[in-house]
Amino acid sequence: MPRARLLVLADLVVVLVLALSALAELWTSPSGDLQGGRGVHTLLVVGCTLPLMVRRRFAVAVLAIVVAAAWLQFELGGGLGQPFFAAILALYSVGAQAAWPVTLAGPGVVALMAVFVDGPRLRDGEPWDQVVPAWFILLGVWGFGRWMRRRVRESAALNARAEAAERDKEQQAARAVADERARIARELHDLVAHSMGVIVIQAQGAQRAIDSAPEQARAALSSIETAGRTGLAEMRRLLGLLSTEPEDAGTTPQPTLEQVPDLIARVREAGLTVDLKVEGAVRALPAGVELTGYRVVQEATTNVLKHAGAASVDVRLRYEPDCLDIEVRDAGCANSNSADGAESGGHGLIGMQERVSLYGGTLRAGLHADGGFAVHARIPVDGRQT
């Protein structure tokens, strides 16, 4: 149920409780001291309670009506029980709903009641301890309403800031994805350009050898077929990305899995103990898969240096018949949070996810049972989902 309906329902229950209890007392008590009869006092009970239904929108007006009806009922011989509770609720609403300085109408009404209602009672000999405490109760209720108003406004401000921070985080993540896709697109551009260059060179060789060395020409044509298939696959992936920056095709060849040992050596020089294991039948994979595998190892080990504070890292590359399986696991550190890089929404994990997903693979990153952090990627060599 919406919050607005809940508030209306709560106000309705309060009004019914106050009105029914007042009417029950009115119609079951002797009417000898009542001026105007029960009918007039019934209308005054309604005047004390029914306006409370709109106290959240018209707090000051409701307070004036409730106090006027309660005072008139008292002057006509009625009791102060339920009218007093209605006045308390109306005073609280003025404190909680009315803005400054309109809210000062609450203490002003209390002062008027003290002068014109309770003053005559004191002069008639009623004890102070039966009159004066009511003033402090009413002022305390108004003050509590002011405090609740401030707390609600502070809570709303905190929620607004939290929502703004969440939106900013989502925007940063979206920008990170776009930036990473642009970088991947540039690298795929280089791979496609390389494949096209291989095709041209092999075609020229095949033309020269087609008459004198048919076997050599056949081998060249086979290389052309392989390079063409690879280039088409990379082109399809390239067209699936949105590149928002100008392409900056460099002349440096893109890294492959053969360069992972060199990468591990650099990480060791940075102070980490790295254990590299290569399992399965090592073979040449499509250029895009090799590049993605290299980048996963590079980013995962970089995250260890930045966030984990670990002294040792295990890197495992396993060549399976239909996919490349990569796992980078650190040992964690007792005085650091190995998951800082993931929990902070780091762009490295976003980039790895984008790269692996591009080739139909899966990537999982999180704490493992030993307390460290692990990155596990499976990349199919044919681009199909594993």
Side-chain angles (χ1 to χ4, degrees):
M1 183 181 294
R3 183 173 181 273
R5 290 188 178 180
L6 287 175
L7 293 177
V8 172
L9 181 60
D11 288 340
L12 178 61
V13 171
V14 170
V15 169
L16 289 177
V17 169
L18 289 176
L20 292 178
S21 61
L23 291 175
E25 180 181 357
L26 173 65
W27 287 91
T28 57
S29 300
S31 60
D33 295 334
L34 296 178
Q35 301 178 28
R38 288 193 176 96
V40 172
H41 283 268
T42 299
L43 294 177
L44 292 176
V45 167
V46 173
C48 285
T49 56
L50 188 60
L52 295 175
M53 287 294 299
V54 293
R55 63 186 178 86
R56 301 179 192 276
R57 295 185 58 188
F58 310 103
V60 175
V62 169
L63 175 63
I65 295 172
V66 169
V67 170
W71 174 78
L72 185 56
Q73 184 186 30
F74 175 73
E75 290 295 324
L76 295 178
L80 288 176
Q82 281 71 24
F84 181 74
F85 289 114
I88 284 180
L89 188 54
L91 264 174
Y92 170 82
S93 300
V94 170
Q97 305 295 333
W100 192 270
V102 178
T103 187
L104 293 178
V109 168
V110 175
L112 291 175
M113 291 172 62
V115 173
F116 295 102
V117 177
D118 294 330
R121 294 173 62 195
L122 292 174
R123 288 195 301 270
D124 292 341
E126 289 201 31
W128 283 79
D129 58 357
Q130 294 183 14
V131 177
V132 175
W135 305 346
F136 294 99
I137 293 174
L138 293 173
L139 289 175
V141 168
W142 173 82
F144 180 69
R146 294 305 299 171
W147 180 79
M148 285 298 298
R149 175 184 174 87
R150 184 173 68 253
R151 293 291 296 174
V152 169
R153 292 168 70 91
E154 290 175 354
S155 177
L158 287 175
N159 290 336
R161 285 197 292 269
E163 291 175 359
E166 186 65 24
R167 288 194 299 269
D168 183 64
K169 181 180 178 181
E170 293 175 355
Q171 292 172 358
Q172 288 182 358
R175 286 195 296 270
V177 170
D179 293 343
E180 189 62 29
R181 287 187 175 183
R183 187 159 69 98
I184 296 172
R186 292 194 297 270
E187 293 179 350
L188 291 179
H189 170 274
D190 293 342
L191 292 176
V192 172
H194 174 73
S195 298
M196 295 302 102
V198 169
I199 289 174
V200 172
I201 294 173
Q202 294 291 342
Q204 291 175 345
Q207 286 179 340
R208 296 191 183 97
I210 193 169
D211 295 326
S212 58
E215 291 300 325
Q216 183 178 351
R218 188 175 292 108
L221 291 174
S222 178
S223 298
I224 290 174
E225 180 184 6
T226 302
R229 291 182 182 276
T230 301
L232 286 174
E234 303 302 338
M235 181 63 74
R236 284 194 295 269
R237 294 185 174 93
L238 176 60
L239 294 177
L241 296 174
L242 289 176
S243 179
T244 59
E245 296 181 357
E247 293 180 354
D248 183 18
T251 58
T252 303
Q254 297 296 341
T256 64
L257 294 176
E258 291 182 354
Q259 296 170 264
V260 168
D262 297 332
L263 171 64
I264 298 303
R266 293 194 296 271
V267 175
R268 287 169 178 160
E269 292 175 358
L272 289 180
T273 300
V274 184
D275 182 18
L276 173 63
K277 294 182 181 179
V278 180
E279 303 173 356
V282 179
R283 64 190 187 278
L285 301 177
V289 174
E290 296 242 354
L291 174 62
T292 299
Y294 178 90
R295 293 301 189 200
V296 168
V297 175
Q298 181 185 45
E299 194 61 52
T301 52
T302 300
N303 281 346
V304 174
L305 287 171
K306 288 181 179 179
H307 305 292
S312 62
V313 183
D314 293 329
V315 178
R316 178 178 55 79
L317 299 178
R318 184 167 68 237
Y319 290 81
E320 298 182 358
D322 57 351
C323 75
L324 173 66
D325 190 277
I326 303 173
E327 185 176 29
V328 180
R329 174 182 296 193
D330 67 67
C333 184
N335 59 0
S336 66
N337 181 5
S338 300
D340 281 348
E343 293 177 352
S344 62
H347 296 174
L349 288 177
I350 295 176
M352 283 191 283
Q353 183 67 58
E354 286 295 317
R355 288 179 179 277
V356 173
S357 298
L358 181 63
Y359 287 89
T362 59
L363 183 136
R364 296 193 303 272
L367 294 172
H368 58 76
D370 297 334
F373 195 76
V375 174
H376 185 199
R378 289 180 62 84
I379 310 169
V381 297
D382 58 0
R384 291 181 296 184
Q385 187 74 33
T386 57

